[in-house]
Amino acid sequence: GQSPASYVLRFSCPNQVGIVAAVTSTLVQLGCDITDGQQFDDRLTGTFFGRIEFDALRADLGQQGFFDGMTPVLASFGATWGVRAVGHLGRVLIMASQFDHCLVDLLYRWRIGELPMHVAAVVANHPRETYRAADLADVPFYHLPVSPETKDDQEAEILRLIEELDVDLVVLARYMQILSPDLVERLRGRCINIHHSFLPGFKGAKPYHQAYERGVKLIGATAHYVTAELDEGPIIAQDVERVTHRHRPEDLVRTGRDIERRVLAQAVRAHLEDRVMLRGGTTVVFSS
Amino acid sequence: GQSPASYVLRFSCPNQVGIVAAVTSTLVQLGCDITDGQQFDDRLTGTFFGRIEFDALRADLGQQGFFDGMTPVLASFGATWGVRAVGHLGRVLIMASQFDHCLVDLLYRWRIGELPMHVAAVVANHPRETYRAADLADVPFYHLPVSPETKDDQEAEILRLIEELDVDLVVLARYMQILSPDLVERLRGRCINIHHSFLPGFKGAKPYHQAYERGVKLIGATAHYVTAELDEGPIIAQDVERVTHRHRPEDLVRTGRDIERRVLAQAVRAHLEDRVMLRGGTTVVFSS
Amino acid sequence: GQSPASYVLRFSCPNQVGIVAAVTSTLVQLGCDITDGQQFDDRLTGTFFGRIEFDALRADLGQQGFFDGMTPVLASFGATWGVRAVGHLGRVLIMASQFDHCLVDLLYRWRIGELPMHVAAVVANHPRETYRAADLADVPFYHLPVSPETKDDQEAEILRLIEELDVDLVVLARYMQILSPDLVERLRGRCINIHHSFLPGFKGAKPYHQAYERGVKLIGATAHYVTAELDEGPIIAQDVERVTHRHRPEDLVRTGRDIERRVLAQAVRAHLEDRVMLRGGTTVVFSS
Amino acid sequence: GQSPASYVLRFSCPNQVGIVAAVTSTLVQLGCDITDGQQFDDRLTGTFFGRIEFDALRADLGQQGFFDGMTPVLASFGATWGVRAVGHLGRVLIMASQFDHCLVDLLYRWRIGELPMHVAAVVANHPRETYRAADLADVPFYHLPVSPETKDDQEAEILRLIEELDVDLVVLARYMQILSPDLVERLRGRCINIHHSFLPGFKGAKPYHQAYERGVKLIGATAHYVTAELDEGPIIAQDVERVTHRHRPEDLVRTGRDIERRVLAQAVRAHLEDRVMLRGGTTVVFSS
């Protein structure tokens, strides 16, 4: 026999007694076997979050059968929900600027099958030859330069690509342009950014020079969903590394690159595995 | 009104379709509201593990009512299971030898209410005055020295204490004596030990001197359930810290102390919060 | 024969060619054997920092002989410097408020000989019975409550104690009172504080509740020299731990306690081992 | 004016009084200004290790002048020593097998100027088309397959390349072939390998499957100099990450890849920056 197809179901709703029982009983009726589950009742927002992995054991249960069975149950709880096959490849659009370390890293992880995604396109405000180190071979590449005058048109073009290419997730891989509030709103919960973090934190230009002058001992990176408040969106993943007084600004930048690429990849993986759920201005990130 | 009583239910059984639905439907019938859930189907052993936190909303649901409702359901799946009130204090017996850093640490965490436990007794093979730094005030202390001739009697006395004091968990807080296979078997899954770990690992006496001579760069500690194979039992928690060529053996010992006490406390917490479940020679540790 | 006495020499001065050669040649003339050395030329401030450990091989070299030989050399470079015996115990005054985890931890580390210090006194704005878990046995304890009206007198009393007890280092072990600018200035470079850190950082009251509401994924602690700008002094040590959406404010506080006590102990050790040197608003921390 | 040329001097010798004074006084005579220094007297082996960075301030001091001045001084202490310009690019030969994550990573870091090296050649026992993701553009690539019969010839060819290309460092970037004792001996202290590490450690085939079955909670990687004892050579760098019961073997392999590439890059950097010195079967790694 064949091994059964595996799926991930996730849902959130105002907390009510019975949601887990209703969902899992429906799964039983549909011939599904739970292999992993995580649930969380967030008292802060009064929201219940659930994520369930299951094997579909009945060969005759089609997509339609599943939706017919599950939709009314989850609707009765007012839930937002989704289901996808384990191994389904999310369609990703990567945006890049001058620095390509995150772009190169994501493309490599994709090429070796490490991230459950298909790179639908790369959009950059620098020309293709900027990214010689990136394995762009068969990836549609769009050079969309941006200036104050052309920003509206550029963003319209990005949106058109997102729709045309049926993009699930936009990844700002060190894309150094600020998106307009309108574009941010349209990409709510499906656009991930990476930026540096310092302990203690501070604002302003030339952050690595500031960090050097303040003698910061820990530098890090934060991956978050993009919101209108710059670099303040719901956090998905973070990490830090120790630095010493011997680290000059260029050493801090280098250390930062390493953290940025691994934190961004962690966040993209968590999103694509449906382990991240929005919870007000923050997130629930279920354990891998 | 009063806030409802909260409980933790955990169970494991050979994997079968329907266990989560059956348990959660029963919880609904008993008027219980799930606030946290984690489930895991271990394909390695074919065992399903579940942990559910819930609020009991019905004032009239007594302990008997809960057991009357839940027992037949879990029995029908052949499950091993347990339930306890959140905040219930597990009764702990701590065993110590010459070094008291883990003992002192556990007692302090208990005193400030950080660990959900009651220290039922401290047993040591050194006299009480060895532990001047420990806050033993009102804790029953038993000095049970041990020699090859007296080992059987000493262990019989330990077992008597465990029964008499209704001990749920024995913690070997750097207790440097090897327990007999018989005592180990009787304490299966409820006796936690802490020991040093090195990367790369090695065996033999004077481990910190060996680590120094081999120039180990990471030293750590492992907390595990005690089994007949010395220091090889199912792992609950681990951590490491970096060391350098400047660390002499005494510096490695000092660094090790810090790791040992925090890893042991993590493991004791995880056990007392019912987040650890045995899975063959290893464990499932649900996320906190 | 006896093993030779070991010393730590440290110095800083405006960078000039020849300082290391002059110091180390003088050490040779005085019969001293270098066992460890670290030097750093800080281009940001134009300051040179050095730390040298050495064994004094000549039995007849007294303290006077060392100073007679070394003083003119270091003076000619305009250096600030100091020397002390390895193993010399710095005299420490610990200040505490309501929470005693850092106090208890420092006292324990001192009792087992882990920190090269003598606790000259404990000063608290709460009465002695607050600290039942602390091993205060033979430590002079001063209850110095503070109110807006009595603050000047209280600080005068603290200063009197510092002088009378010949205190080298003041440790604010979660002392929750703000020191006056005058006291801060008098304790410049010899008063260490510990406070919580979050990534991203934020200001204001009830920090752990804020951290919970913002869904912070990393919490940490920073040990720094006290300066007039609250919690912004030169950083000595930092660390972080991961937390999840399951951590409620009280869990964050608990995690914070663990980080605070180990980071404060690290900073106190680094200071007492003469590995920390002030460098403008930041520090040089030589490796251990 | 031009900024002065910077150099790194490193030396080791049997410990004797006066080595630091002699070296630094000679630097003064040669018009050199020390900008960074680290020294360590290893009591285990009786060896003294030193590393000094300096600016050469005299325009007329050529390489010959430096050697004329420094050689007799270091010779009189029986020192092994070397000097190189900061920014000098070490000539590196990278060897790879089936898995290319370390190869791709090293090439990328080199391309963006992050590692002070020139990749002189890549040698692989798989054909060039295996490494499509690697930016091999202008790098000499040698496909040198190996079998028991051809091993001697293959290694002779490797040695020929090392000499012909004037290679300073050989990096085994997940090269899965065991080098012969003779080749290992010829590459002593200039051949770095990376391999997985587990806590607790174990031996044997399919290590990630073993780690899965044993429920390992920390997996890591170790970079070390290659010696005749497989995977037991002097350690240069190590790191670990936490894993959970949810990690299947393929997840452990993926996590391992991330650790391997960053630990190998750290070790290569430390070696090329002359911060690593052999000390019996272990190393001194001076702080960056």
Side-chain angles (χ1 to χ4, degrees), chain B residues 250-267:
Chain B
E250 61 266 33
D251 300 313
L252 300 179
V253 168
R254 166 174 53 79
T255 305
R257 270 198 303 266
D258 251 34
I259 313 174
E260 284 165 10
R261 59 187 202 169
R262 73 170 182 261
V263 168
L264 181 58
Q266 279 167 20

Side-chain angles (χ1 to χ4, degrees), chain A residues 118-192:
Chain A
H118 174 76
V119 178
V122 169
V123 167
N125 61 334
H126 289 253
R128 186 178 177 121
E129 52 265 34
T130 309
Y131 310 102
R132 283 200 195 91
D135 183 6
L136 289 168
D138 52 346
V139 182
F141 179 91
Y142 298 88
H143 175 208
L144 302 182
V146 62
S147 68
E149 297 73 38
T150 63
K151 182 156 187 169
D152 285 359
D153 290 349
Q154 194 237 21
E155 291 201 343
E157 181 67 10
I158 293 170
L159 265 176
R160 199 189 57 74
L161 280 172
I162 289 170
E163 277 176 38
E164 188 180 297
L165 298 172
D166 198 16
V167 165
D168 298 304
L169 176 67
V170 174
V171 178
L172 306 187
R174 296 287 286 158
Y175 181 69
M176 304 303 283
Q177 301 295 319
I178 295 170
L179 305 186
S180 72
D182 180 59
L183 184 54
V184 164
E185 184 51 36
R186 283 165 184 261
L187 298 179
R188 188 172 178 275
R190 52 183 184 127
C191 179
I192 296 177

Side-chain angles (χ1 to χ4, degrees), chain B residues 26-83:
Chain B
T26 305
L27 286 173
V28 172
Q29 287 159 26
L30 298 170
C32 298
D33 183 29
I34 295 173
T35 56
D36 197 307
Q38 298 186 70
Q39 299 91 37
F40 176 64
D41 174 27
D42 179 30
R43 297 180 187 216
L44 195 63
T45 59
T47 309
F48 191 87
F49 298 91
R51 183 188 186 279
I52 292 174
E53 288 190 32
F54 60 90
D55 290 346
L57 303 179
R58 267 174 37 198
D60 65 325
L61 177 76
Q63 188 179 303
Q64 192 59 45
F66 184 85
F67 278 86
D68 286 353
M70 192 58 81
T71 305
V73 175
L74 281 159
S76 73
F77 286 91
T80 303
W81 67 286
V83 66

